[in-house]
Amino acid sequence: MTNRLGIFVICVFLLIGCQTKKPDSKKAVEIRDLNEIVKDGKLRVLIAYSATSYFLYRGQTMGYEYELLKRLAKNLNLELDLKVSRNLDDMLDELKNGNVDLVAHGLAVTQERKEEVAFVDYLYLTKQVLVQRKPDNWRNLTLDDIKEAMIQDPIELIGDTVSVRKNSSYYKRLLNLSKEIGGDIIINPLKGGLSTDEIIKQVVDKKIKYTVADGNLARINASHYPILDVSVPLSFSQRIAWAVRKDSPILLEAINSWINEEKKSSDYYVIYNKYFENKRSFRRRAKSEFYSLNKNQISAYDRLIKEYAQELGWDWRLLASLVYQESQFEPNDSSWAGAKGLMQIMPSTAQELGIKDRGDPNESLRGGTAYLEQLASNFEQVKDSVQRIKFAMAAYNCGYQHVKDAQSLAEIRGLDKYTWDDNVDKMILALSDPQHYNHEAVRYGYVRGTEPYDYVVQIFDRYKLYASLVD
């Protein structure tokens, strides 16, 4: 009996020990309101990769949410740190877990969601509509025949199947609609990684029969796919808004103040029309090979850029970002200073590198990358490869000797002359000031420092966006 009691006591202590040592499965959420965000300098935003929110077209990053976010970040004097959602069903969880500060996605404001997060003032109003196919031979049918072949009233969906993401407002709407019409609509739950545009395309391709979408998004897609009908409303008007955490009231107030001012400007409505009303522009993008939702391409010169990037030892998307910065992928582009071609090579540099036709994409890329490699070799003492690339880029923009002057000033000021970020880049900016460009250590004088500074920043910022959108 005593032995049994002893064994029992030992087991109890072991059980308690296991329970007390068990790690907490709940991760502590970082409290980040506007004050903490300003200290960090970055606004962390979760965005959707889709035909209207955020995408790449001919090397340019575009999208409704993206354009508004750039304006918001500028207003708040913050750097925009974008994270692309891989699962739209998990967006609010990412927000609540503290991984981002803002979800910039077209979320329908519902009572259920309001219990989880705080919504900013609505961006626009829309209705949910049924997305369905017209008959295959619809062009040869009368309007009455077409209507006869399709759903005209939500009650006709009883016993039929509609496919939507499970955590979407569309799913909740279908559940409520089933109750309202007194009959079950069969809901086929789709993966959260699918955007609404992709699901609409599944209707076009006959992979699914019906889906639900916000009216503005459905209409712009139907302009490209005339086989679609999006005329049947399934809801009343709904407010569409972005979301922040409930413990970020100062951020919420700041965004609401910005939205209030934006709605007074014409630009706000121009941006909306650009992505939801301009059907011609949407169709042109949707047909393009250089639209990132169609193909994994940035430009017509991707093959050449990859080839020369490999010789440089760069990520090809980084070189593509530099080419866009120089010429927007226009091979015949010329500058006021006489630079020409994809890499904007000056006549003297072309002669030095043996380039006969600066307008030839292959010649321009060959010469431009050879020059970049030559510049990078002048910074061999810079051990960090990314920093060395930044030095080479700055020299490509303003000249090697000006960058050397900035390094000399950095050393005098007690900064690291082998680090670009927050060191030499500060001195390249300082070379616009007489007290600095007249310093005895400076041999080549004045340079408009904002140009190489912005050049490097913008290329790397664009590269991050390219990397998030193109494999």
Side-chain angles (χ1 to χ4, degrees), residues 78-124:
L78 292 169
E79 179 185 338
L80 194 57
D81 185 6
L82 291 181
K83 178 180 179 182
V84 178
S85 174
R86 300 303 175 192
N87 190 322
L88 302 186
D89 285 349
D90 295 337
M91 292 186 94
L92 295 187
D93 288 335
E94 291 248 27
L95 177 65
K96 291 186 294 180
N97 291 338
N99 297 330
V100 293
D101 306 309
L102 170 68
V103 170
H105 184 55
L107 298 166
V109 180
T110 65
Q111 191 58 44
E112 185 178 28
R113 285 174 171 171
K114 284 168 69 175
E115 293 173 4
E116 297 184 72
V117 297
F119 283 100
V120 305
D121 287 345
Y122 73 90
L123 298 173
Y124 56 84

Side-chain angles (χ1 to χ4, degrees), residues 84-299:
V84 178
S85 174
R86 300 303 175 192
N87 190 322
L88 302 186
D89 285 349
D90 295 337
M91 292 186 94
L92 295 187
D93 288 335
E94 291 248 27
L95 177 65
K96 291 186 294 180
N97 291 338
N99 297 330
V100 293
D101 306 309
L102 170 68
V103 170
H105 184 55
L107 298 166
V109 180
T110 65
Q111 191 58 44
E112 185 178 28
R113 285 174 171 171
K114 284 168 69 175
E115 293 173 4
E116 297 184 72
V117 297
F119 283 100
V120 305
D121 287 345
Y122 73 90
L123 298 173
Y124 56 84
L125 301 173
T126 190
K127 294 180 181 179
Q128 293 184 14
V129 298
L130 181 69
V131 179
Q132 60 182 323
R133 276 178 60 95
K134 298 171 185 173
D136 288 337
N137 61 337
W138 67 277
R139 293 185 188 277
N140 299 321
L141 300 177
T142 65
L143 185 58
D144 288 340
D145 288 338
I146 293 172
K147 288 184 176 181
E148 182 68 26
M150 295 189 303
I151 297 289
Q152 293 298 306
D153 190 301
I155 202 167
E156 298 172 44
L157 289 171
I158 293 175
D160 220 328
T161 301
V162 183
S163 304
V164 293
R165 293 188 307 273
K166 187 166 185 179
N167 280 357
S168 66
S169 59
Y170 311 136
Y171 190 95
K172 306 296 189 301
R173 179 61 198 137
L174 288 171
L175 289 176
N176 290 332
L177 184 60
S178 291
K179 295 176 184 177
E180 292 166 13
I181 62 179
D184 289 335
I185 299 171
I186 302 167
I187 307 175
N188 172 36
L190 299 175
K191 293 180 181 178
L194 291 169
S195 69
T196 304
D197 307 281
E198 291 173 307
I199 296 171
I200 290 173
K201 184 65 165 57
Q202 289 193 13
V203 176
V204 175
D205 296 337
K206 296 185 178 180
K207 293 179 180 177
I208 57 176
K209 192 174 182 181
Y210 306 117
T211 192
V212 181
D214 290 337
N216 55 348
L217 188 56
R219 287 191 300 273
I220 198 71
N221 273 274
S223 71
H224 180 56
Y225 303 112
I227 191 74
L228 292 178
D229 178 86
V230 296
S231 63
V232 179
L234 298 181
S235 75
F236 295 110
S237 290
Q238 292 183 309
R239 292 171 296 164
I240 302 298
W242 297 344
V244 299
R245 286 189 303 278
K246 285 193 169 185
D247 56 13
S248 302
I250 305 174
L251 176 62
L252 178 66
E253 183 179 353
I255 296 176
N256 283 342
S257 175
W258 168 77
I259 290 174
N260 184 50
E261 289 303 310
E262 283 289 297
K263 287 182 176 179
K264 296 176 183 177
S265 73
S266 59
D267 286 352
Y268 181 82
Y269 302 97
V270 168
I271 293 170
Y272 178 88
N273 290 337
K274 179 178 178 180
Y275 293 102
F276 293 111
E277 299 294 341
N278 192 329
K279 297 176 181 178
R280 180 180 297 176
S281 177
F282 183 87
R283 289 195 295 268
R284 186 166 58 247
R285 288 200 308 270
K287 293 176 180 178
S288 174
E289 291 184 351
F290 311 115
Y291 175 50
S292 59
L293 276 79
N294 281 346
K295 292 188 176 181
N296 220 24
Q297 295 186 155
I298 296 175
S299 76

Side-chain angles (χ1 to χ4, degrees), residues 210-451:
Y210 306 117
T211 192
V212 181
D214 290 337
N216 55 348
L217 188 56
R219 287 191 300 273
I220 198 71
N221 273 274
S223 71
H224 180 56
Y225 303 112
I227 191 74
L228 292 178
D229 178 86
V230 296
S231 63
V232 179
L234 298 181
S235 75
F236 295 110
S237 290
Q238 292 183 309
R239 292 171 296 164
I240 302 298
W242 297 344
V244 299
R245 286 189 303 278
K246 285 193 169 185
D247 56 13
S248 302
I250 305 174
L251 176 62
L252 178 66
E253 183 179 353
I255 296 176
N256 283 342
S257 175
W258 168 77
I259 290 174
N260 184 50
E261 289 303 310
E262 283 289 297
K263 287 182 176 179
K264 296 176 183 177
S265 73
S266 59
D267 286 352
Y268 181 82
Y269 302 97
V270 168
I271 293 170
Y272 178 88
N273 290 337
K274 179 178 178 180
Y275 293 102
F276 293 111
E277 299 294 341
N278 192 329
K279 297 176 181 178
R280 180 180 297 176
S281 177
F282 183 87
R283 289 195 295 268
R284 186 166 58 247
R285 288 200 308 270
K287 293 176 180 178
S288 174
E289 291 184 351
F290 311 115
Y291 175 50
S292 59
L293 276 79
N294 281 346
K295 292 188 176 181
N296 220 24
Q297 295 186 155
I298 296 175
S299 76
Y301 309 103
D302 285 4
R303 182 187 60 79
L304 285 172
I305 291 171
K306 288 175 184 178
E307 178 183 326
Y308 288 110
Q310 189 171 9
E311 292 182 14
L312 270 177
W314 289 19
D315 184 322
W316 77 275
R317 297 164 298 185
L318 179 58
L319 180 57
S321 179
L322 185 147
V323 177
Y324 182 88
Q325 186 80 13
E326 289 290 345
S327 64
Q328 289 76 54
F329 303 118
E330 294 292 341
N332 295 313
D333 191 38
S334 298
S335 77
W336 64 270
K340 184 178 179 181
L342 287 179
M343 297 288 281
Q344 288 293 281
I345 297 172
M346 295 292 287
S348 57
T349 308
Q351 187 174 6
E352 180 187 334
L353 295 168
I355 298 171
K356 295 179 180 179
D357 182 2
R358 291 179 293 154
D360 178 76
N362 185 55
E363 282 278 279
S364 185
L365 282 164
R366 179 186 64 78
T369 51
Y371 187 43
L372 279 167
E373 189 170 22
Q374 177 183 318
L375 290 169
S377 69
N378 291 328
F379 298 103
E380 286 183 350
Q381 289 177 294
V382 178
K383 299 305 178 185
D384 184 276
S385 60
V386 173
Q387 294 300 307
R388 194 181 313 120
I389 287 172
K390 290 184 176 183
F391 274 103
M393 284 182 177
Y396 192 90
N397 177 263
C398 71
Y400 170 67
Q401 300 300 344
H402 287 305
V403 177
K404 289 297 290 182
D405 280 345
Q407 282 187 297
S408 298
L409 273 182
E411 189 172 24
I412 291 168
R413 306 297 183 212
L415 299 171
D416 183 355
K417 70 175 184 178
Y418 299 125
T419 300
W420 178 260
D421 294 331
D422 296 321
N423 286 271
V424 179
D425 62 349
K426 290 181 177 179
M427 294 300 97
I428 204 78
L429 288 171
L431 285 173
S432 300
D433 191 323
Q435 68 170 324
H436 295 293
Y437 67 70
N438 287 325
H439 193 282
E440 61 182 11
V442 174
R443 297 181 59 191
Y444 291 88
Y446 170 84
V447 64
R448 190 179 296 166
T450 54
E451 290 188 5

